[in-house]
PDB file of all heavy atoms in Angstrom:
ATOM      1  N   SER A   8       6.648 -40.069  54.512  1.00  0.00           N
ATOM      2  CA  SER A   8       7.991 -40.370  54.855  1.00  0.00           C
ATOM      3  C   SER A   8       8.859 -40.664  53.780  1.00  0.00           C
ATOM      4  O   SER A   8      10.066 -40.593  53.813  1.00  0.00           O
ATOM      5  CB  SER A   8       8.080 -41.485  55.968  1.00  0.00           C
ATOM      6  OG  SER A   8       7.463 -42.620  55.430  1.00  0.00           O
ATOM      7  N   PRO A  13       7.498 -32.922  50.279  1.00  0.00           N
ATOM      8  CA  PRO A  13       6.079 -33.304  49.997  1.00  0.00           C
ATOM      9  C   PRO A  13       5.200 -31.978  49.723  1.00  0.00           C
ATOM     10  O   PRO A  13       5.398 -30.922  50.444  1.00  0.00           O
ATOM     11  CB  PRO A  13       5.521 -33.897  51.358  1.00  0.00           C
ATOM     12  CG  PRO A  13       6.539 -33.452  52.343  1.00  0.00           C
ATOM     13  CD  PRO A  13       7.757 -33.288  51.706  1.00  0.00           C
ATOM     14  N   ALA A  71      -3.365 -16.171  26.376  1.00  0.00           N
ATOM     15  CA  ALA A  71      -2.283 -17.108  25.819  1.00  0.00           C
ATOM     16  C   ALA A  71      -1.548 -16.480  24.570  1.00  0.00           C
ATOM     17  O   ALA A  71      -0.340 -16.680  24.415  1.00  0.00           O
ATOM     18  CB  ALA A  71      -2.916 -18.465  25.535  1.00  0.00           C
ATOM     19  N   GLU A  87     -17.531 -27.171  32.661  1.00  0.00           N
ATOM     20  CA  GLU A  87     -16.616 -27.587  31.565  1.00  0.00           C
ATOM     21  C   GLU A  87     -17.288 -27.637  30.279  1.00  0.00           C
ATOM     22  O   GLU A  87     -16.747 -27.322  29.198  1.00  0.00           O
ATOM     23  CB  GLU A  87     -15.992 -28.878  31.850  1.00  0.00           C
ATOM     24  CG  GLU A  87     -16.913 -30.099  32.026  1.00  0.00           C
ATOM     25  CD  GLU A  87     -16.109 -31.418  32.285  1.00  0.00           C
ATOM     26  OE1 GLU A  87     -15.189 -31.688  31.422  1.00  0.00           O
ATOM     27  OE2 GLU A  87     -16.406 -32.076  33.216  1.00  0.00           O
ATOM     28  N   PRO A 103      -2.315 -22.364  23.224  1.00  0.00           N
ATOM     29  CA  PRO A 103      -2.078 -23.185  24.387  1.00  0.00           C
ATOM     30  C   PRO A 103      -2.788 -22.828  25.592  1.00  0.00           C
ATOM     31  O   PRO A 103      -2.385 -21.852  26.249  1.00  0.00           O
ATOM     32  CB  PRO A 103      -0.488 -23.099  24.464  1.00  0.00           C
ATOM     33  CG  PRO A 103      -0.173 -21.670  23.936  1.00  0.00           C
ATOM     34  CD  PRO A 103      -1.214 -21.480  22.908  1.00  0.00           C
ATOM     35  N   GLN A 116     -16.818 -41.291  42.107  1.00  0.00           N
ATOM     36  CA  GLN A 116     -16.841 -41.710  40.672  1.00  0.00           C
ATOM     37  C   GLN A 116     -16.761 -43.336  40.638  1.00  0.00           C
ATOM     38  O   GLN A 116     -17.429 -43.953  39.821  1.00  0.00           O
ATOM     39  CB  GLN A 116     -15.581 -41.235  39.933  1.00  0.00           C
ATOM     40  CG  GLN A 116     -15.682 -39.738  39.727  1.00  0.00           C
ATOM     41  CD  GLN A 116     -14.439 -39.136  38.947  1.00  0.00           C
ATOM     42  OE1 GLN A 116     -14.258 -39.696  37.765  1.00  0.00           O
ATOM     43  NE2 GLN A 116     -13.823 -38.190  39.366  1.00  0.00           N
ATOM     44  N   ARG A 117     -16.065 -43.872  41.520  1.00  0.00           N
ATOM     45  CA  ARG A 117     -15.951 -45.341  41.555  1.00  0.00           C
ATOM     46  C   ARG A 117     -17.349 -45.973  41.886  1.00  0.00           C
ATOM     47  O   ARG A 117     -17.729 -47.030  41.241  1.00  0.00           O
ATOM     48  CB  ARG A 117     -14.922 -45.841  42.411  1.00  0.00           C
ATOM     49  CG  ARG A 117     -14.743 -47.338  42.667  1.00  0.00           C
ATOM     50  CD  ARG A 117     -14.081 -47.587  44.014  1.00  0.00           C
ATOM     51  NE  ARG A 117     -14.841 -47.300  45.133  1.00  0.00           N
ATOM     52  CZ  ARG A 117     -14.337 -47.195  46.436  1.00  0.00           C
ATOM     53  NH1 ARG A 117     -13.146 -47.478  46.645  1.00  0.00           N
ATOM     54  NH2 ARG A 117     -15.211 -46.864  47.478  1.00  0.00           N
ATOM     55  N   GLY A 127     -26.918 -38.323  35.638  1.00  0.00           N
ATOM     56  CA  GLY A 127     -27.709 -39.207  36.401  1.00  0.00           C
ATOM     57  C   GLY A 127     -27.615 -40.667  35.987  1.00  0.00           C
ATOM     58  O   GLY A 127     -28.517 -41.489  36.535  1.00  0.00           O
ATOM     59  N   ASN A 130     -22.179 -42.272  34.797  1.00  0.00           N
ATOM     60  CA  ASN A 130     -21.002 -42.166  33.868  1.00  0.00           C
ATOM     61  C   ASN A 130     -20.329 -40.795  34.220  1.00  0.00           C
ATOM     62  O   ASN A 130     -20.759 -39.712  33.815  1.00  0.00           O
ATOM     63  CB  ASN A 130     -21.634 -42.214  32.453  1.00  0.00           C
ATOM     64  CG  ASN A 130     -20.431 -42.201  31.433  1.00  0.00           C
ATOM     65  OD1 ASN A 130     -19.267 -42.040  31.707  1.00  0.00           O
ATOM     66  ND2 ASN A 130     -20.728 -42.410  30.204  1.00  0.00           N
ATOM     67  N   TYR A 173      -6.285 -30.944  28.788  1.00  0.00           N
ATOM     68  CA  TYR A 173      -7.402 -31.094  29.663  1.00  0.00           C
ATOM     69  C   TYR A 173      -6.914 -31.861  30.867  1.00  0.00           C
ATOM     70  O   TYR A 173      -6.375 -32.947  30.821  1.00  0.00           O
ATOM     71  CB  TYR A 173      -8.494 -31.989  28.926  1.00  0.00           C
ATOM     72  CG  TYR A 173      -9.805 -32.346  29.762  1.00  0.00           C
ATOM     73  CD1 TYR A 173     -10.846 -31.541  29.835  1.00  0.00           C
ATOM     74  CD2 TYR A 173      -9.924 -33.532  30.394  1.00  0.00           C
ATOM     75  CE1 TYR A 173     -11.979 -31.833  30.564  1.00  0.00           C
ATOM     76  CE2 TYR A 173     -10.987 -33.948  31.002  1.00  0.00           C
ATOM     77  CZ  TYR A 173     -12.041 -33.148  31.151  1.00  0.00           C
ATOM     78  OH  TYR A 173     -13.220 -33.444  31.855  1.00  0.00           O
ATOM     79  N   SER A 200      14.707 -31.598  18.276  1.00  0.00           N
ATOM     80  CA  SER A 200      15.544 -31.363  17.170  1.00  0.00           C
ATOM     81  C   SER A 200      15.188 -32.253  15.931  1.00  0.00           C
ATOM     82  O   SER A 200      14.851 -33.404  16.160  1.00  0.00           O
ATOM     83  CB  SER A 200      17.014 -31.457  17.515  1.00  0.00           C
ATOM     84  OG  SER A 200      17.420 -30.547  18.519  1.00  0.00           O
ATOM     85  N   ASN A 222      12.145 -14.552  -9.098  1.00  0.00           N
ATOM     86  CA  ASN A 222      11.141 -13.563  -8.572  1.00  0.00           C
ATOM     87  C   ASN A 222      10.540 -14.111  -7.267  1.00  0.00           C
ATOM     88  O   ASN A 222       9.324 -14.207  -7.147  1.00  0.00           O
ATOM     89  CB  ASN A 222      10.161 -13.240  -9.478  1.00  0.00           C
ATOM     90  CG  ASN A 222       9.311 -12.172  -9.157  1.00  0.00           C
ATOM     91  OD1 ASN A 222       9.634 -11.219  -8.407  1.00  0.00           O
ATOM     92  ND2 ASN A 222       8.101 -12.031  -9.776  1.00  0.00           N
ATOM     93  N   VAL A 227       3.846 -15.020   5.340  1.00  0.00           N
ATOM     94  CA  VAL A 227       3.863 -15.607   6.683  1.00  0.00           C
ATOM     95  C   VAL A 227       2.464 -15.649   7.176  1.00  0.00           C
ATOM     96  O   VAL A 227       1.604 -14.717   6.899  1.00  0.00           O
ATOM     97  CB  VAL A 227       4.711 -14.556   7.593  1.00  0.00           C
ATOM     98  CG1 VAL A 227       4.793 -15.117   9.014  1.00  0.00           C
ATOM     99  CG2 VAL A 227       6.132 -14.453   7.019  1.00  0.00           C
ATOM    100  N   GLU A 239      13.083 -16.617  13.898  1.00  0.00           N
ATOM    101  CA  GLU A 239      13.665 -17.134  12.824  1.00  0.00           C
ATOM    102  C   GLU A 239      13.020 -16.431  11.545  1.00  0.00           C
ATOM    103  O   GLU A 239      13.778 -16.230  10.519  1.00  0.00           O
ATOM    104  CB  GLU A 239      13.414 -18.715  12.658  1.00  0.00           C
ATOM    105  CG  GLU A 239      14.238 -19.473  13.683  1.00  0.00           C
ATOM    106  CD  GLU A 239      13.580 -19.530  15.066  1.00  0.00           C
ATOM    107  OE1 GLU A 239      12.513 -18.837  15.287  1.00  0.00           O
ATOM    108  OE2 GLU A 239      13.953 -20.347  15.886  1.00  0.00           O
ATOM    109  N   GLU A 242      14.526 -12.871  11.056  1.00  0.00           N
ATOM    110  CA  GLU A 242      15.962 -12.972  10.510  1.00  0.00           C
ATOM    111  C   GLU A 242      15.857 -13.178   9.060  1.00  0.00           C
ATOM    112  O   GLU A 242      16.646 -12.612   8.300  1.00  0.00           O
ATOM    113  CB  GLU A 242      16.779 -13.963  11.265  1.00  0.00           C
ATOM    114  CG  GLU A 242      18.147 -13.974  10.911  1.00  0.00           C
ATOM    115  CD  GLU A 242      18.985 -14.976  11.653  1.00  0.00           C
ATOM    116  OE1 GLU A 242      18.340 -15.775  12.385  1.00  0.00           O
ATOM    117  OE2 GLU A 242      20.198 -15.040  11.541  1.00  0.00           O
ATOM    118  N   PHE A 252       4.864 -10.857   2.586  1.00  0.00           N
ATOM    119  CA  PHE A 252       3.486 -10.568   2.769  1.00  0.00           C
ATOM    120  C   PHE A 252       3.012 -11.428   3.896  1.00  0.00           C
ATOM    121  O   PHE A 252       3.626 -12.413   4.323  1.00  0.00           O
ATOM    122  CB  PHE A 252       2.716 -10.952   1.435  1.00  0.00           C
ATOM    123  CG  PHE A 252       3.260 -10.325   0.191  1.00  0.00           C
ATOM    124  CD1 PHE A 252       4.286 -10.927  -0.512  1.00  0.00           C
ATOM    125  CD2 PHE A 252       2.820  -9.053  -0.179  1.00  0.00           C
ATOM    126  CE1 PHE A 252       4.882 -10.371  -1.565  1.00  0.00           C
ATOM    127  CE2 PHE A 252       3.385  -8.506  -1.354  1.00  0.00           C
ATOM    128  CZ  PHE A 252       4.325  -9.134  -2.002  1.00  0.00           C
ATOM    129  N   ASP A 289       7.864 -16.840  -9.076  1.00  0.00           N
ATOM    130  CA  ASP A 289       8.103 -18.186  -9.407  1.00  0.00           C
ATOM    131  C   ASP A 289       8.414 -19.081  -8.262  1.00  0.00           C
ATOM    132  O   ASP A 289       8.634 -20.331  -8.485  1.00  0.00           O
ATOM    133  CB  ASP A 289       9.179 -18.253 -10.473  1.00  0.00           C
ATOM    134  CG  ASP A 289      10.497 -17.513 -10.013  1.00  0.00           C
ATOM    135  OD1 ASP A 289      10.479 -16.953  -8.919  1.00  0.00           O
ATOM    136  OD2 ASP A 289      11.490 -17.736 -10.696  1.00  0.00           O
ATOM    137  N   PHE A 306     -11.282 -19.070  -0.659  1.00  0.00           N
ATOM    138  CA  PHE A 306     -10.471 -19.992  -1.476  1.00  0.00           C
ATOM    139  C   PHE A 306     -10.072 -19.392  -2.847  1.00  0.00           C
ATOM    140  O   PHE A 306     -10.009 -20.135  -3.755  1.00  0.00           O
ATOM    141  CB  PHE A 306     -11.169 -21.413  -1.629  1.00  0.00           C
ATOM    142  CG  PHE A 306     -11.626 -22.042  -0.397  1.00  0.00           C
ATOM    143  CD1 PHE A 306     -12.893 -22.190  -0.100  1.00  0.00           C
ATOM    144  CD2 PHE A 306     -10.595 -22.486   0.531  1.00  0.00           C
ATOM    145  CE1 PHE A 306     -13.218 -22.831   1.143  1.00  0.00           C
ATOM    146  CE2 PHE A 306     -10.868 -23.118   1.738  1.00  0.00           C
ATOM    147  CZ  PHE A 306     -12.368 -23.297   2.005  1.00  0.00           C
ATOM    148  N   THR A 307      -9.811 -18.077  -2.746  1.00  0.00           N
ATOM    149  CA  THR A 307      -9.334 -17.505  -4.058  1.00  0.00           C
ATOM    150  C   THR A 307      -7.828 -17.329  -4.109  1.00  0.00           C
ATOM    151  O   THR A 307      -7.225 -16.510  -4.791  1.00  0.00           O
ATOM    152  CB  THR A 307      -9.957 -16.054  -4.255  1.00  0.00           C
ATOM    153  OG1 THR A 307      -9.601 -15.205  -3.145  1.00  0.00           O
ATOM    154  CG2 THR A 307     -11.443 -16.179  -4.321  1.00  0.00           C
ATOM    155  N   TRP A 405      -7.319  -5.529   7.492  1.00  0.00           N
ATOM    156  CA  TRP A 405      -6.403  -5.979   6.613  1.00  0.00           C
ATOM    157  C   TRP A 405      -5.823  -4.723   5.827  1.00  0.00           C
ATOM    158  O   TRP A 405      -4.645  -4.777   5.276  1.00  0.00           O
ATOM    159  CB  TRP A 405      -7.103  -6.845   5.481  1.00  0.00           C
ATOM    160  CG  TRP A 405      -7.630  -8.106   5.850  1.00  0.00           C
ATOM    161  CD1 TRP A 405      -7.780  -8.571   7.177  1.00  0.00           C
ATOM    162  CD2 TRP A 405      -8.259  -9.136   5.079  1.00  0.00           C
ATOM    163  NE1 TRP A 405      -8.323  -9.873   7.264  1.00  0.00           N
ATOM    164  CE2 TRP A 405      -8.614 -10.221   5.876  1.00  0.00           C
ATOM    165  CE3 TRP A 405      -8.495  -9.224   3.655  1.00  0.00           C
ATOM    166  CZ2 TRP A 405      -9.393 -11.374   5.396  1.00  0.00           C
ATOM    167  CZ3 TRP A 405      -9.035 -10.404   3.235  1.00  0.00           C
ATOM    168  CH2 TRP A 405      -9.432 -11.458   3.997  1.00  0.00           C
ATOM    169  N   GLY A 433      -8.607 -11.023  28.579  1.00  0.00           N
ATOM    170  CA  GLY A 433      -7.324 -11.783  28.793  1.00  0.00           C
ATOM    171  C   GLY A 433      -6.121 -11.095  28.356  1.00  0.00           C
ATOM    172  O   GLY A 433      -5.144 -11.055  28.973  1.00  0.00           O
ATOM    173  N   ILE A 447      -6.342  -2.697  22.446  1.00  0.00           N
ATOM    174  CA  ILE A 447      -7.340  -2.041  21.665  1.00  0.00           C
ATOM    175  C   ILE A 447      -8.312  -3.072  20.950  1.00  0.00           C
ATOM    176  O   ILE A 447      -7.901  -3.902  20.382  1.00  0.00           O
ATOM    177  CB  ILE A 447      -6.772  -1.118  20.608  1.00  0.00           C
ATOM    178  CG1 ILE A 447      -5.766  -0.039  21.177  1.00  0.00           C
ATOM    179  CG2 ILE A 447      -7.808  -0.509  19.817  1.00  0.00           C
ATOM    180  CD1 ILE A 447      -4.643   0.513  20.203  1.00  0.00           C
ATOM    181  N   LEU A 448      -9.597  -2.888  21.233  1.00  0.00           N
ATOM    182  CA  LEU A 448     -10.570  -3.850  20.789  1.00  0.00           C
ATOM    183  C   LEU A 448     -11.550  -3.045  19.749  1.00  0.00           C
ATOM    184  O   LEU A 448     -12.070  -2.039  19.987  1.00  0.00           O
ATOM    185  CB  LEU A 448     -11.416  -4.427  21.890  1.00  0.00           C
ATOM    186  CG  LEU A 448     -12.696  -5.073  21.507  1.00  0.00           C
ATOM    187  CD1 LEU A 448     -12.369  -6.373  20.832  1.00  0.00           C
ATOM    188  CD2 LEU A 448     -13.485  -5.425  22.870  1.00  0.00           C
ATOM    189  N   PHE A 449     -11.706  -3.748  18.608  1.00  0.00           N
ATOM    190  CA  PHE A 449     -12.722  -3.389  17.648  1.00  0.00           C
ATOM    191  C   PHE A 449     -13.793  -4.498  17.529  1.00  0.00           C
ATOM    192  O   PHE A 449     -13.389  -5.634  17.160  1.00  0.00           O
ATOM    193  CB  PHE A 449     -12.193  -2.970  16.318  1.00  0.00           C
ATOM    194  CG  PHE A 449     -11.305  -1.885  16.253  1.00  0.00           C
ATOM    195  CD1 PHE A 449      -9.922  -2.053  16.380  1.00  0.00           C
ATOM    196  CD2 PHE A 449     -11.843  -0.641  16.047  1.00  0.00           C
ATOM    197  CE1 PHE A 449      -9.133  -0.877  16.358  1.00  0.00           C
ATOM    198  CE2 PHE A 449     -10.967   0.517  15.974  1.00  0.00           C
ATOM    199  CZ  PHE A 449      -9.699   0.338  16.228  1.00  0.00           C
ATOM    200  N   PRO A 472      -8.174  -1.239  28.661  1.00  0.00           N
ATOM    201  CA  PRO A 472      -8.435  -1.251  27.161  1.00  0.00           C
ATOM    202  C   PRO A 472      -9.161  -0.102  26.572  1.00  0.00           C
ATOM    203  O   PRO A 472      -9.864   0.676  27.317  1.00  0.00           O
ATOM    204  CB  PRO A 472      -9.253  -2.534  27.044  1.00  0.00           C
ATOM    205  CG  PRO A 472     -10.112  -2.507  28.229  1.00  0.00           C
ATOM    206  CD  PRO A 472      -9.195  -2.031  29.335  1.00  0.00           C
ATOM    207  N   VAL A 507     -20.693   0.753  30.994  1.00  0.00           N
ATOM    208  CA  VAL A 507     -19.572   0.999  31.830  1.00  0.00           C
ATOM    209  C   VAL A 507     -19.926   1.463  33.199  1.00  0.00           C
ATOM    210  O   VAL A 507     -19.464   0.898  34.206  1.00  0.00           O
ATOM    211  CB  VAL A 507     -18.570   2.065  31.168  1.00  0.00           C
ATOM    212  CG1 VAL A 507     -17.351   2.375  31.983  1.00  0.00           C
ATOM    213  CG2 VAL A 507     -18.091   1.487  29.711  1.00  0.00           C
ATOM    214  N   PRO A 514     -16.052   6.639  37.737  1.00  0.00           N
ATOM    215  CA  PRO A 514     -15.981   7.590  36.731  1.00  0.00           C
ATOM    216  C   PRO A 514     -14.600   8.231  36.492  1.00  0.00           C
ATOM    217  O   PRO A 514     -14.277   8.739  35.501  1.00  0.00           O
ATOM    218  CB  PRO A 514     -17.064   8.688  37.105  1.00  0.00           C
ATOM    219  CG  PRO A 514     -17.933   7.898  38.060  1.00  0.00           C
ATOM    220  CD  PRO A 514     -17.116   6.954  38.789  1.00  0.00           C
ATOM    221  N   LYS A 572     -24.123 -24.659  -2.788  1.00  0.00           N
ATOM    222  CA  LYS A 572     -23.870 -25.826  -3.676  1.00  0.00           C
ATOM    223  C   LYS A 572     -24.701 -27.004  -3.382  1.00  0.00           C
ATOM    224  O   LYS A 572     -24.870 -27.270  -2.220  1.00  0.00           O
ATOM    225  CB  LYS A 572     -22.324 -26.082  -3.516  1.00  0.00           C
ATOM    226  CG  LYS A 572     -21.439 -25.030  -4.307  1.00  0.00           C
ATOM    227  CD  LYS A 572     -19.977 -25.486  -4.055  1.00  0.00           C
ATOM    228  CE  LYS A 572     -19.120 -24.490  -4.647  1.00  0.00           C
ATOM    229  NZ  LYS A 572     -17.592 -24.823  -4.561  1.00  0.00           N
TER     230      LYS A 572
END
Side-chain angles (χ1 to χ4, degrees):
S8 59
E87 61 179 307
Q116 294 186 50
R117 180 196 65 193
N130 184 350
Y173 177 88
S200 299
N222 190 22
V227 184
E239 291 86 349
E242 187 179 6
F252 307 89
D289 58 349
F306 303 114
T307 58
W405 299 8
I447 301 156
L448 168 64
F449 292 94
V507 176
K572 286 179 180 178

